[in-house]
């Protein structure tokens, strides 16, 4: 028997998760003393997608090996050095001859930790104070969502349960809940819908700030890359646009397709939202005001198209993602819906009640020629801002067909998407779902830094782009060693600058002036010839139903 690329990646993922399982066991054996009367249970947490750190093997996978391979790893997503040196270009994926997604250079990438620990430290402390045995499940936000779900249900949970029982602890799956932040909530959604026997004792499935119906940020990336990752003078922009086009999970983050919008219960649920109704379709043509620009069903206009043809954008994967997105928002069976809760955030005025419009809630979309390339202006323009958490519009962050009693809107003037899990009102909402009234304790949440200003972020990135590239990987964002590497003018501001970087990576766009030491103009790149014909994909899949709808997966 030889180990396939998928087998090896999964084996490595389990190996890297094992220390976290052992830490879970240790905490469970020595729980904190608390006055909380919340019923004890296991909680699995899925962090927001781009918030999860990704590691890349330092050596290439070898085919035909009869024993599992193990590797050393280095951080590929993301460090401050990576933003400067173009390391995120190594996130690119490709298909082998059988259609299996592999990593660039066949150097396996696995998830491990979060990119900046303060994003969730308040939430983690709250769980420990309320008899909630928390396990943070690291997941690869590039891969198809169903692949993450299958690994979690079929491989991780049995492995986790066996190891915990072997330590003499009670069955950790006798009662447990799932919580997902942002993109992580889509994983929770699919696990619940799959209803596998191993999750029979699932008590609650909770999403927080999850884009059920998409958000504006992703469609920009197809045409713009990301201003924080594109490098000095956009030197990596072309490459990063190709990276984004190669990552299948990102295709599920578009605004909803027309068929879903027209479905009567969904449309009425969105239009009659008591807090933030959706008045019209959120993706419209830039010139014909009545023409909807359905991101999942792109049309043509003569020789003009909706998506870039020269970056490897995969129309077949888009169609696959359409089916996945429709599955994620379909009405649930009553027995599953009773477990499903959606928490969304709305930023307010200082009265903690009056919503502010601080979140992109719709776009206009122009046509592009098939020769569209990285120097060309983006066809995407954000429309009027709407209430939300500065990244996810509130209208998109709940399942419209879910019962109103299971949809909770948290309002506060300090709501912010990337740190919403630490917000006191979010923790109160979680307590109302997981604990009896008055049972939960609320330990002090560490003060959250205010994100850096545009000026401070631009100044930092301009300094960063002047630095020589290091041969060794730079420290993590939350590594104290990073402070010693930056000039004095940034040291005290570093937490605020880091938070701003993490926020902007998720919500897009960053402020003007990030493209180079002189603040090079958006859309510029080093001189050179334009690319030639569009690349032909090595393997073109046929659109089919997501595996969560199929009875069996393909045998490996």
């Amino acid at each position: 028997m030889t180990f396939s690329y998928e087998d090896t990646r999964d084996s490595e993922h389990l190996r890297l998760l094992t220390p976290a399982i052992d830490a879970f066991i240790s905490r469970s054996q020595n729980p904190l003393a608390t006055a909380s009367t919340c019923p004890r249970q296991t909680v699995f947490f899925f962090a927001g997608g781009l918030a999860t750190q990704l590691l890349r093997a330092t050596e290439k996978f070898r085919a035909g090996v009869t024993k599992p391979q193990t590797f050393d790893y280095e951080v590929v997503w993301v460090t401050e050095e990576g933003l400067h040196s173009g390391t995120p270009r190594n996130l690119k994926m490709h298909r082998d001859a059988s259609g299996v997604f592999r990593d660039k250079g066949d150097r396996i990438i696995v998830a491990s930790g979060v990119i900046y620990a303060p994003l969730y430290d308040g939430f983690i402390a709250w769980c420990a104070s309320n008899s909630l045995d928390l396990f943070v499940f690291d997941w690869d936000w590039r891969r198809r969502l169903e692949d993450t779900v299958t690994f979690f249900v079929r491989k991780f949970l049995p492995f986790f349960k066996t190891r915990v029982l072997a330590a003499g602890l009670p069955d950790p799956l006798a009662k447990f809940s799932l919580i997902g932040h942002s993109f992580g909530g889509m994983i929770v959604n699919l696990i619940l819908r799959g209803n596998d026997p191993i999750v029979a004792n699932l008590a609650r499935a909770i999403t927080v700030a999850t884009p059920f119906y998409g958000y504006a940020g992703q469609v920009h990336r197809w045409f713009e890359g990301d201003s924080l990752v594109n490098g000095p003078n956009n030197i990596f922009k072309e490459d990063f646009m190709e990276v984004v086009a190669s990552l299948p999970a990102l295709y599920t983050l578009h605004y909803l397709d027309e068929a879903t919008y027209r479905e009567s219960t969904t449309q009425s649920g969105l239009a009659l939202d008591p807090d933030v109704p959706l008045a019209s379709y959120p993706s419209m043509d830039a010139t014909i005001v009545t023409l909807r620009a359905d991101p999942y069903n792109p049309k043509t206009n003569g020789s003009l198209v909706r998506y870039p043809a020269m970056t490897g954008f995969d129309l077949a994967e888009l169609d696959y993602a359409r089916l996945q997105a429709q599955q994620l928002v379909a009405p649930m069976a009553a027995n599953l819906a009773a477990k499903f809760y959606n928490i969304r955030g709305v930023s307010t005025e200082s009265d903690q009640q009056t919503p502010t419009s601080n979140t992109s809630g719709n776009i206009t979309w122009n046509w592009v020629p098939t020769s569209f390339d990285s120097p060309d202006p983006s066809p995407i323009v954000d429309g009027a801002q709407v209430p939300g958490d500065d990244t996810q519009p509130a209208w998109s962050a709940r399942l419209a067909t879910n019962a109103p009693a299971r949809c909770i809107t948290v309002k506060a003037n300090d709501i912010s998407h990337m740190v919403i899990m630490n917000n006191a009102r979010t923790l109160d909402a979680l307590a109302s779902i997981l604990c009896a009234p008055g049972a939960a304790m609320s330990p002090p949440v560490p003060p959250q830094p205010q994100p850096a200003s545009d000026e401070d972020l631009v100044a930092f990135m301009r300094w960063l782009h002047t630095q020589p590239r290091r041969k060794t990987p730079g420290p993590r964002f939350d590594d104290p060693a990073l402070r010693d590497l930056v000039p004095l003018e940034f040291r005290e501001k570093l937490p605020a600058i880091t938070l701003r970087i993490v926020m902007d990576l998720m919500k897009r766009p960053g402020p003007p002036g990030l493209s180079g030491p002189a603040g090079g103009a958006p859309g510029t790149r080093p001189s050179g010839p334009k690319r030639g014909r569009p690349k032909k994909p090595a393997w073109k899949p046929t659109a089919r139903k997501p595996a969560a709808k199929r009875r069996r997966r393909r045998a490996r």
Side-chain angles (χ1 to χ4, degrees), residues 7-38:
D7 293 333
T8 303
R9 180 177 55 205
D10 288 352
S11 174
E12 282 291 85
H13 196 182
L14 287 177
R15 183 175 72 85
L16 268 63
L17 285 167
T18 299
I21 299 173
D22 292 342
F24 172 92
I25 291 170
S26 178
R27 291 192 304 271
S28 299
Q29 291 171 332
N30 303 282
L32 289 178
T34 177
S36 172
T37 57
C38 284

Side-chain angles (χ1 to χ4, degrees), residues 46-226:
F46 299 81
L50 297 179
T52 302
Q53 178 177 261
L54 300 179
L55 306 180
R56 187 181 189 222
T58 57
E59 297 180 13
K60 183 178 179 179
F61 164 79
R62 303 187 308 278
V65 175
T66 57
K67 294 190 299 184
Q69 299 168 63
T70 61
F71 304 95
D72 294 325
Y73 291 89
E74 58 191 15
V75 177
V76 64
W77 181 262
V78 63
T79 65
E80 55 84 22
E81 167 65 13
L83 296 179
H84 168 54
S85 63
T87 302
R89 290 176 296 167
N90 292 322
L91 294 171
K92 192 171 185 179
M93 303 184 78
H94 67 96
R95 296 179 190 266
D96 63 19
S98 62
V100 172
F101 283 100
R102 293 193 180 200
D103 304 298
K104 182 178 178 180
D106 284 354
R107 286 170 57 182
I108 284 173
I109 289 177
V110 293
S112 181
V114 296
I115 62 173
Y116 186 48
L119 295 177
Y120 299 111
D121 54 3
F123 165 68
I124 291 170
W126 179 85
C127 287
S129 298
N130 285 288
S131 304
L132 301 176
D133 297 322
L134 178 67
F135 187 90
V136 179
F137 180 80
D138 306 322
W139 65 287
D140 186 344
W141 43 265
R142 303 170 310 143
R143 298 174 62 193
R144 281 180 172 174
L145 304 183
E146 65 187 55
D147 291 343
T148 295
V149 171
T150 299
F151 174 81
F152 178 79
V153 170
R154 303 285 175 83
K155 294 192 175 183
F156 170 76
L157 283 183
F159 181 81
F160 175 85
K161 178 178 177 178
T162 298
R163 196 168 184 90
V164 172
L165 291 176
L169 288 168
D171 183 356
L173 303 185
K175 181 182 181 182
F176 70 99
S177 292
L178 306 174
I179 301 176
H181 171 224
S182 192
F183 206 5
M186 296 169 80
I187 301 299
V188 169
N189 186 349
L190 283 178
I191 293 170
L192 175 63
R193 290 175 185 272
N195 200 24
D196 191 274
I198 202 169
V199 300
N201 294 326
L202 174 64
R204 297 286 185 265
I206 305 167
T207 67
V208 181
T210 292
F212 286 88
Y213 303 98
Y215 84 119
Q218 178 53 38
V219 71
H220 283 276
R221 294 188 183 99
W222 306 125
F223 303 94
E224 303 165 25
D226 191 294

Side-chain angles (χ1 to χ4, degrees), residues 223-224 234 236-239 241 310-311 371-378 522-525 530-531:
F223 303 94
E224 303 165 25
N234 284 325
F236 306 128
K237 180 179 178 183
E238 182 178 290
D239 291 337
M241 287 169 62
M310 302 181 69
T311 62
S371 60
F372 180 93
D373 209 350
S374 58
D376 298 326
S378 174
T524 61
R525 67 169 182 175
K530 248 195 170 185
R531 287 184 288 190

Side-chain angles (χ1 to χ4, degrees), residues 379-422:
I380 307 298
V381 176
D382 289 338
Q385 300 222 311
V386 300
D389 61 16
D390 73 32
T391 301
Q392 303 299 351
W395 64 260
S396 179
R398 68 175 184 111
L399 181 64
T401 55
N402 204 4
R406 295 194 295 273
C407 298
I408 302 173
T409 302
V410 294
K411 298 180 180 180
N413 66 344
D414 59 349
I415 289 289
S416 182
H417 181 78
M418 289 307 294
V419 291
I420 194 172
M421 293 303 303
N422 294 336

